[in-house]
DNA sequence: CTCCGTGCCTGTGAGC
DNA sequence: TGCTCACAGGCACGGA
């Protein structure tokens, strides 16, 4: 499941291989990701345009094309982008093929077909979905102070659903949220307004360092994730709690637990991440 | 306000 | 062996 670090790696690689290339044709094999837009219309808008730059916001990938067109791609659960320097036959789950000048190809694959493509023409960037989300942790405006501000706006929420909500912070998914909370020593069910200033500082640092470590490891390939050349990441080897139910905590030796929270499997160490907190509240 | 379930999909793996 | 079913979890949406 691509989260911020995986999407960041994909976007860096896309820029390396696709910048300046012209899209000479598009072949759509399944259409769910087009969300009702006909493949003919979609293809007509994209064909002939040059890929000027690829950016990321949260988990969204944005292809900035010539003529002020923007192709927005969200990989959701199992979406993948594969780059080939030559012509390759579509596979079982290939939903779209972008043909590029020079014979390069970009294939979109998606087993579960949850991914979405959206096309924007001459749009005010700030009105686009990816820019209506919360702070992106890799952008300059994500600071301890701005983090404190959004926490203050959500005093009653549990910290895990808070971190997963893209309107607060853009890019956190289930894996990096559980790993961040473990590294910060915070129970996923702790209420935002129960956190001490010290804990918030720890959380802020853990969030950034976990995401950055994820990027350095080129992502987490626990099941589906591959980079645009089909390579696995390495961060799965550094997971401390995610999918480690029943195993020993690498820090204290207690047993890692799993609970359903916010509708997702949630992994934590009950000893390193205690639920009870009798420290002074940060907001007072 | 916050949380929870459902739908969108299909592969994997546990248990019978 | 082969079947069923929970699970995987990003996001939108409706309801408690």
């Amino acid at each position: 499941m691509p989260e911020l670090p995986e999407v960041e790696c994909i976007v860096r690689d896309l820029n390396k291989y696709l910048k300046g290339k012209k899209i000479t044709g598009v072949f759509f094999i399944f259409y769910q990701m087009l969300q009702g837009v006909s493949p003919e219309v979609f293809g007509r808008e994209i064909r002939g345009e040059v890929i000027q730059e690829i950016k990321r916001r949260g988990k969204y990938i944005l292809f900035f094309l010539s003529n002020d067109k923007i192709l927005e791609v969200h990989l959701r659960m199992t979406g993948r982008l594969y780059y080939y320097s030559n012509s390759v036959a579509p596979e079982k789950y290939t939903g779209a093929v972008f043909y590029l000048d020079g014979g390069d190809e970009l294939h979109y694959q998606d087993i579960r077909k949850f991914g979405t493509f959206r096309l924007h023409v001459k749009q005010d960037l700030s009105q686009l979905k990816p820019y209506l989300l919360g702070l992106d942790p890799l952008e300059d405006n994500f600071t301890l102070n701005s983090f404190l501000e959004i926490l203050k706006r959500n005093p009653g929420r549990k910290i895990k659903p808070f971190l997963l909500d893209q309107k607060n912070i853009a890019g956190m998914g289930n894996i990096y949220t559980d790993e961040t909370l473990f590294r910060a020593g915070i129970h996923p069910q702790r209420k935002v307004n129960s956190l001490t200033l010290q804990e918030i500082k720890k959380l802020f640092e853990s969030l950034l360092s976990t995401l950055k470590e994820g990027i350095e490891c080129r992502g987490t390939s626990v099941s589906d994730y591959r980079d645009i050349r089909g390579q696995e990441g390495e961060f799965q080897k550094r997971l401390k709690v995610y999918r480690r139910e029943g195993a020993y905590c690498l820090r204290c030796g207690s047993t890692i637990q799993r609970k359903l929270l916010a509708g997702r499997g949630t992994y934590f160490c009950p000893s390193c991440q205690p639920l009870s907190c009798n420290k002074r509240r940060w907001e007072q």
Side-chain angles (χ1 to χ4, degrees):
Chain A
M1 317 109 234
E3 303 180 27
L4 187 149
E6 289 75 28
V7 180
E8 178 67 20
C9 291
I10 289 168
V11 166
R12 289 181 187 180
D13 288 350
L14 287 172
N15 273 304
K16 214 182 309 177
Y17 293 103
L18 299 186
K19 207 182 247 189
K21 296 261 178 186
K22 183 193 270 189
I23 301 170
T24 55
V26 197
F27 175 38
F28 291 111
I29 297 154
F30 52 73
Y31 310 145
Q32 283 100 324
M33 66 280 193
L34 304 180
Q35 302 170 99
V37 178
S38 81
E40 291 78 18
V41 169
F42 216 101
R44 195 189 310 140
E45 290 288 342
I46 287 174
R47 199 175 308 120
E49 304 301 340
V50 175
I51 299 169
Q52 294 174 331
E53 193 173 13
I54 301 105
K55 291 187 185 178
R56 176 192 64 74
R57 187 129 213 302
K59 300 172 199 167
Y60 286 86
I61 300 168
L62 296 160
F63 294 81
F64 286 78
L65 307 177
S66 40
N67 290 318
D68 292 326
K69 292 176 183 174
I70 298 170
L71 171 63
E72 172 203 302
V73 176
H74 196 304
L75 301 172
R76 299 288 184 107
M77 310 288 300
T78 53
R80 289 177 181 173
L81 288 170
Y82 277 151
Y83 167 80
Y84 300 108
S85 58
N86 54 332
S87 186
V88 167
E91 291 172 27
K92 189 176 176 189
Y93 300 109
T94 306
V97 180
F98 297 83
Y99 301 97
L100 307 160
D101 56 355
D104 299 11
E105 293 182 0
L106 183 68
H107 289 221
Y108 168 72
Q109 291 193 0
D110 197 344
I111 291 174
R112 295 177 68 179
K113 302 187 172 94
F114 286 173
T116 56
F117 285 24
R118 224 172 270 141
L119 192 68
H120 307 286
V121 182
K122 291 193 198 300
Q123 274 276 344
D124 176 10
L125 270 191
S126 67
Q127 294 309 303
L128 261 49
K129 184 68 204 295
Y131 290 93
L132 294 169
L133 304 174
L135 300 171
D136 187 294
L138 294 197
E139 287 172 10
D140 292 340
N141 59 1
F142 185 69
T143 61
L144 180 59
N145 275 339
S146 57
F147 187 49
L148 274 165
E149 280 304 310
I150 49 172
L151 284 162
K152 273 181 197 164
R153 276 190 258 130
N154 295 267
R157 294 199 79 176
K158 291 171 187 164
I159 191 64
K160 173 155 177 173
F162 168 85
L163 292 172
L164 283 173
D165 189 337
Q166 305 296 301
K167 290 192 288 296
N168 297 326
I169 297 167
M172 298 294 284
N174 205 37
I175 298 173
Y176 290 93
T177 300
D178 281 3
E179 291 299 313
T180 292
L181 288 170
F182 172 79
R183 282 155 216 245
I186 296 170
H187 192 287
Q189 288 181 295
R190 287 278 301 282
K191 287 270 185 73
V192 164
N193 63 7
S194 80
L195 300 173
T196 65
L197 185 55
Q198 199 182 355
E199 284 176 320
I200 289 169
K201 282 182 184 164
K202 189 84 187 288
L203 178 59
F204 176 76
E205 285 157 18
S206 303
L207 194 153
L208 277 178
S209 63
T210 305
L211 293 176
K212 284 177 180 168
E213 197 181 332
I215 294 168
E216 280 161 25
C217 292
R218 295 198 51 80
T220 308
S221 293
V222 79
S223 57
D224 296 290
Y225 174 69
R226 300 290 184 278
D227 71 15
I228 69 169
R229 290 188 296 169
Q231 299 293 304
E232 292 190 2
E234 303 285 334
F235 195 67
Q236 65 276 13
K237 295 171 186 168
R238 304 211 191 168
L239 296 175
K240 306 282 194 283
V241 287
Y242 183 76
R243 292 217 191 168
R244 292 194 69 246
E245 184 186 17
Y248 293 115
C249 172
L250 299 168
R251 194 174 151 266
C252 78
S254 305
T255 307
I256 301 298
Q257 285 187 9
R258 177 186 181 274
K259 263 189 185 178
L260 208 58
L261 179 60
R264 293 98 191 266
T266 298
Y267 302 86
F268 62 98
C269 170
S271 159
C272 295
Q273 299 164 265
L275 184 53
S276 59
C277 173
N278 32 27
K279 291 175 197 159
R280 183 168 37 87
R281 288 182 182 192
W282 59 279
E283 59 178 359
Q284 289 164 2

